[in-house]
Amino acid sequence: MNGVGELVDALPPPVTESSGMSGLKNCSVHVEVCQSTYSTVTASEIQDHVREMLYKIKTLYGDVSITEFEDPFLTEHVQYVAMTDTELSSGRKQAIDLCSTQLWIHVFTLSEDGPACEELDGEEMSAANHWLLPAADMQGLWDNLIFDGPIKSNLLHYAMTTLLFSDRKVDPSVISWNRVVLLHGPPGTGKTSLCKALAQKLTIRLSGRYSYGQFIEINSHSLFSKWFSESGKLVMKMFQKIQELIDDPDAIVFVLIDEVESLTAARQSAMSGSDPSDAIRVVNALLTQIDQIKKNSNVLILTTSNVTGAIDLAFVDRADIKQYIGPPSAAAIFKIYHSCINELMKTGIISPPQQILDLRALEVVRFMENDATKHSLKLREVAQKSYSLSGRTLRKLPFLAHALFIQKPTVTLEVFLEALERAVQQQFEERRGLDSKQPPTLYKENGTAD
Amino acid sequence: MATGGCKEIHVRNIELTGRITSDVRCSLVKDIVKFILYHREQIPLPYEQLKYYFERQENIKKGSEARKLSQLLDSVQELCSNLDLLFQTTSDVGQILILLGPTIATPKEIFEIKFTPNPLVGPLMEVPSCKMCSRLLHKSLVTYNTLIDINPPSLTSMHILFHGQRSADTKWFKPKHNFKIPKRGQHFTFQIFSKQSKSVKDPCQPIRGDVEGSECHRKEQNGINIREGTVADKEDFLWFMAPTIIKGIKDSVLCIPQQGELWVQ
């Protein structure tokens, strides 16, 4: 099985969308170190020990998370050391020479308190949920979000450039940027999760610059008042609270406005008379407040929407990145299933554990069927059949497969894959029942097989 | 002020007599926690009374609020026993923070308890009883007009932190590496010191005497001292946070027919 890894290295790198960057050698690698909850040593001490350990290991292959250490100091004070996002820029696993690359070691501790509520004065309902980052709730989200193309690295680079420009004090009247990200796409594709994961990731990456992060999730509906003309004021109040948080230069603040279309419903439809004019005031208040907030260097506004058409044009225009997030491709589905099956093997539900090869390894053996690739090819087939299902559905399919077709505490991989296939079929049948007009179309994968 | 644009820090000096042992400190901290809970309207009745009612199941409405009340009583109890343990094992807890607000970074009100170290007179000084100190403390808090004038925050959570050495051996309190005293919200400082530490300062402690100075001098310096202190000891000292968060409960937990009867019982 190890021979496959070497073969992958021998192959020329696949052409990716961001071509030209993939050949970059000796770039820097980010190492995330999660400090134990009760550890009291300083970050610099941990950094020294981690660096020493990595120099001893010398080379690592792709993204790795290390949880067991020889060094007793690390065992006591560190939960895990993770080399992250080496696959994001190049799109494939590659060997990293730890001695020659620049290592950025980020030490952080997770905040285990759940979300806190932020209330507006005089209002009964909480207007926002509030997390201190890095939060234990959001750990692991980033790695489990799988998209086609460089969506994740684009967002990371955007945020980095934003902070660089603010740091170097680029004149915003010459080059203008708004600190607003708009993610849109069909439901269940991971927009909200991506926002949370991005905030978590940035807080960890920037832990040297900002000592902590704040994540504020605004409940859009609570900003509408029962009193006519008060809604605009509620938006103002909300943003005043946010401004207070931003005033702390040690904090990086992320504001998430989920389902933003409810706040910024197109003004045109409001003009037509079907909506009260109060809605216009909300849009106007929001737009002016966003313009206010963008003057600060330590804030990023993340918004998501299912229906882009209904959002006010002036708002869409303010968003720097308008990223469409569609349903995953067959390749991404394969990765999602792969991670699900790994989880089930780890917990002992699928036993005995068997290795599933990734697509790249399958490509190397030219999709030949033998004992080693049998299950992997089967999974690939199921993944192709699952095309057009949303990410949220895909993540629950292994659960449904077990609940509906297995009902045993342990199962072999072969039986599980059969059950998974049946669960996929059932999903499509259910969908047909709901919407008889659209029969599911089988996706033909392009590019991977030739 | 040294802290720039931040709000004024309200300082209340609380004078006690005799040598303040860690037992006394511990009971004072517990008293202040309970006092703040009631005074800042996070619980509808004084803590002890609420506990009394709950244990007897008198005047308590059953339902979700009662469950929250039992949770609150449990977490205060847990906090108190761990404070006992802390003060027994760590002799030099000099600073305690009580934060009211949704998270520790966004408090609405900050209560800082600072203990001035005892002068080096040692065993000669008499040790006052906890009860006496508690009485003096309450007298000082109840007559503190600034606290009364500022409207209490709406129902929120209470977080407790202490400033201790890195080597502090606590299994319960969690270290918060990047925590700094927030600049948001109302800031109150309760400066607790022994009266005799001033009267006997000259013969025993010439150096300390300069720092302590007269009371009005101390007042001027307070705002600056707090910030400078944390910067200087940054490497050796850390903030530790209690893992239980005490969440306020609504008045509706009580079912007392008439307000007047409350005190008759």
Side-chain angles (χ1 to χ4, degrees):
Chain A
M1 217 49 55
N2 289 332
V4 175
E6 285 162 25
L7 267 173
V8 175
D9 254 2
L11 274 184
V15 182
T16 51
E17 286 92 322
S18 58
S19 59
M21 296 296 283
S22 55
L24 218 65
K25 286 279 171 209
N26 290 340
C27 49
S28 53
V29 169
H30 292 273
V31 183
E32 293 175 4
V33 182
C34 180
Q35 192 173 358
S36 307
T37 323
Y38 290 99
S39 152
T40 56
V41 292
T42 56
S44 60
E45 250 177 286
I46 289 184
Q47 277 171 344
D48 292 344
H49 280 262
V50 169
R51 187 164 285 134
E52 205 175 288
M53 178 192 79
L54 292 176
Y55 283 159
K56 243 184 236 170
I57 297 175
K58 279 190 184 129
T59 42
L60 278 175
Y61 185 71
D63 288 0
V64 188
S65 176
I66 307 168
T67 46
E68 281 171 13
F69 313 98
E70 282 176 25
D71 188 350
F73 177 87
L74 290 179
T75 316
E76 189 186 341
H77 295 288
V78 171
Q79 278 182 13
Y80 66 85
V81 175
M83 313 277 299
T84 56
D85 306 321
T86 55
E87 295 161 28
L88 271 189
S89 48
S90 63
R92 68 190 190 106
K93 282 179 186 263
Q94 53 189 175
I96 307 151
D97 182 7
L98 294 171
C99 300
S100 66
T101 44
Q102 193 181 3
L103 298 175
W104 296 98
I105 301 179
H106 310 287
V107 181
F108 63 95
T109 44
L110 292 175
S111 152
E112 277 155 9
D113 318 332
C117 296
E118 186 82 50
E119 277 167 11
L120 295 177
D121 301 326
E123 295 294 316
E124 285 276 299
M125 212 166 23
S126 72
N129 281 333
H130 191 157
W131 278 270
L132 275 186
L133 297 178
D137 293 2
M138 298 180 194
Q139 193 58 12
L141 267 182
W142 178 265
D143 299 323
N144 289 320
L145 285 168
I146 296 158
F147 298 105
D148 299 303
I151 292 178
K152 285 205 282 189
S153 56
N154 278 356
L155 283 174
L156 258 185
H157 294 156
Y158 164 73
M160 290 299 188
T161 308
T162 307
L163 293 162
L164 177 79
F165 274 38
S166 318
D167 255 11
R168 297 281 167 86
K169 300 201 169 56
V170 174
D171 187 350
S173 54
V174 182
I175 299 172
S176 148
W177 68 102
N178 281 310
R179 314 174 168 282
V180 180
V181 177
L182 172 65
L183 303 179
H184 61 99
T189 44
K191 297 179 294 293
T192 312
S193 306
L194 182 59
C195 289
K196 290 181 177 169
L198 179 72
Q200 174 96 335
K201 179 72 51 183
L202 284 172
T203 313
I204 293 172
R205 283 276 176 96
L206 300 168
S207 56
R209 201 173 171 289
Y210 299 104
S211 59
Y212 64 96
Q214 304 256 18
F215 187 86
I216 303 147
E217 186 179 26
I218 297 181
N219 303 334
S220 325
H221 51 269
S222 66
L223 295 181
F224 283 93
S225 170
K226 61 184 169 189
W227 308 108
F228 188 72
S229 92
E230 286 284 307
S231 307
K233 278 182 196 162
L234 280 181
V235 175
M236 293 274 283
K237 265 190 198 170
M238 185 71 233
F239 274 84
Q240 264 168 20
K241 288 250 168 189
I242 293 168
Q243 185 64 46
E244 276 177 37
L245 298 179
I246 296 170
D247 286 341
D248 183 356
D250 281 338
I252 179 160
V253 181
F254 301 92
V255 182
L256 170 64
I257 311 175
D258 219 356
E259 320 290 351
V260 74
E261 71 270 5
S262 65
L263 272 183
T264 57
R267 277 179 281 192
Q268 226 153 23
S269 72
M271 297 287 229
S272 68
S274 53
D275 274 334
S277 59
D278 211 25
I280 301 182
R281 295 199 182 109
V282 172
V283 181
N284 291 347
L286 193 76
L287 292 177
T288 50
Q289 290 304 312
I290 285 176
D291 283 345
Q292 281 288 320
I293 243 176
K294 76 172 190 191
K295 289 179 190 140
N296 303 86
S297 64
N298 55 341
V299 64
L300 200 63
I301 299 169
L302 309 161
T303 57
T304 72
S305 172
N306 287 336
V307 270
T308 335
I311 306 180
D312 193 84
L313 256 185
F315 180 82
V316 175
D317 196 43
R318 272 170 176 79
D320 295 334
I321 286 197
K322 297 172 270 282
Q323 179 71 56
Y324 173 76
I325 295 183
S329 72
I333 293 173
F334 183 86
K335 276 192 196 170
I336 292 172
Y337 282 155
H338 196 173
S339 68
C340 292
I341 287 176
N342 277 345
E343 178 68 22
L344 288 176
M345 284 185 189
K346 211 173 79 189
T347 48
I349 291 173
I350 295 181
S351 93
Q354 280 170 293
Q355 194 184 6
I356 287 197
L357 302 171
D358 60 15
L359 279 181
R360 185 112 183 97
L362 284 176
E363 199 184 331
V364 172
V365 297
R366 303 205 177 276
F367 301 100
M368 290 253 287
E369 184 156 347
N370 56 32
D371 281 350
T373 62
K374 191 175 63 185
H375 296 308
S376 314
L377 285 173
K378 174 78 182 164
L379 186 66
R380 180 165 165 265
E381 197 189 313
V382 178
Q384 281 170 353
K385 279 185 188 163
S386 322
Y387 180 69
S388 89
L389 291 177
S390 75
R392 188 184 290 151
T393 316
L394 291 170
R395 287 270 174 211
K396 72 184 175 200
L397 268 178
F399 167 80
L400 288 177
H402 187 274
L404 296 174
F405 305 112
I406 296 172
Q407 300 143 351
K408 273 187 291 188
T410 52
V411 64
T412 62
L413 182 58
E414 201 174 349
V415 178
F416 184 79
L417 287 175
E418 286 294 327
L420 191 63
E421 195 175 6
R422 285 173 70 188
V424 172
Q425 275 168 7
Q426 204 205 13
Q427 277 296 319
F428 280 109
E429 274 162 27
E430 272 175 20
R431 199 196 265 190
R432 225 172 285 145
L434 283 170
D435 179 18
S436 53
K437 281 178 217 159
Q438 274 191 340
T441 46
L442 268 183
Y443 174 69
K444 283 202 185 70
E445 207 180 328
N446 47 4
T448 43
D450 43 328
Chain B
M1 274 187 73
T3 43
C6 97
K7 282 177 196 164
E8 191 196 351
I9 297 173
H10 310 284
V11 183
R12 179 69 164 173
N13 289 313
I14 297 165
E15 275 192 13
L16 304 173
T17 48
R19 196 161 64 96
I20 309 174
T21 59
S22 45
D23 277 357
V24 175
R25 288 182 183 195
C26 183
S27 80
L28 290 182
V29 171
K30 288 192 273 189
D31 278 350
I32 293 176
V33 167
K34 289 169 189 173
F35 174 81
I36 290 173
L37 271 179
Y38 176 56
H39 191 273
R40 305 320 283 166
E41 296 185 5
Q42 302 300 312
I43 49 176
L45 287 176
Y47 176 80
E48 299 297 344
Q49 193 174 8
L50 206 57
K51 194 177 159 195
Y52 176 86
Y53 279 158
F54 184 77
E55 276 162 8
R56 261 150 245 256
Q57 286 296 316
E58 272 175 39
N59 301 328
I60 303 284
K61 216 186 273 173
K62 286 199 173 65
S64 67
E65 279 301 311
R67 272 197 297 280
K68 280 185 199 163
L69 172 63
S70 107
Q71 228 168 44
L72 175 128
L73 294 174
D74 285 349
S75 32
V76 173
Q77 200 56 47
E78 197 185 357
L79 174 78
C80 286
S81 53
N82 279 291
L83 280 174
D84 282 335
L85 210 68
L86 170 74
F87 278 91
Q88 274 164 25
T89 50
T90 328
S91 55
D92 53 352
V93 180
Q95 215 175 344
I96 300 260
L97 270 190
I98 301 172
L99 305 177
L100 283 182
T103 66
I104 53 167
T106 55
K108 288 174 179 156
E109 291 188 348
I110 304 170
F111 299 90
E112 188 181 357
I113 308 169
K114 295 189 82 180
F115 291 105
T116 310
N118 284 310
L120 298 172
V121 189
L124 289 176
M125 276 175 79
E126 66 172 309
V127 178
S129 72
C130 287
K131 234 179 198 171
M132 223 242 315
C133 290
S134 177
R135 210 171 295 147
L136 283 169
L137 172 84
H138 276 100
K139 191 178 157 202
S140 177
L141 290 179
V142 168
T143 54
Y144 185 24
N145 285 332
T146 325
L147 196 61
I148 298 163
D149 291 343
I150 294 170
N151 278 337
S154 52
L155 272 192
T156 179
S157 316
M158 182 190 252
H159 311 261
I160 290 117
L161 296 102
F162 82 91
H163 202 219
Q165 276 181 326
R166 257 177 209 286
S167 54
D169 181 32
T170 62
K171 294 277 176 290
W172 194 70
F173 290 87
K174 287 181 185 170
K176 287 273 156 194
H177 293 269
N178 294 321
F179 181 79
K180 276 181 231 153
I181 300 180
K183 289 171 185 166
R184 224 183 153 202
Q186 297 283 352
H187 193 143
F188 302 92
T189 301
F190 300 138
Q191 183 99 28
I192 300 176
F193 58 92
S194 171
K195 205 194 277 175
Q196 281 173 6
S197 64
K198 271 192 297 171
S199 59
V200 288
K201 69 186 178 191
D202 288 326
C204 305
Q205 260 195 311
I207 309 158
R208 186 176 293 261
D210 285 338
V211 181
E212 303 239 322
S214 64
E215 199 178 328
C216 57
H217 183 55
R218 183 208 307 276
K219 269 182 190 163
E220 272 173 30
Q221 277 204 329
N222 263 326
I224 305 159
N225 277 343
I226 295 159
R227 307 283 171 198
E228 277 178 356
T230 44
V231 173
D233 309 328
K234 211 177 174 182
E235 282 306 302
D236 279 343
F237 281 85
L238 261 187
W239 283 100
F240 290 82
M241 184 185 152
T244 52
I245 295 165
I246 301 167
K247 287 189 176 139
I249 43 170
K250 289 184 194 142
D251 292 358
S252 61
V253 72
L254 297 176
C255 53
I256 296 168
Q258 281 171 2
Q259 285 290 313
E261 287 174 28
L262 193 116
W263 297 105
V264 181
Q265 285 181 323

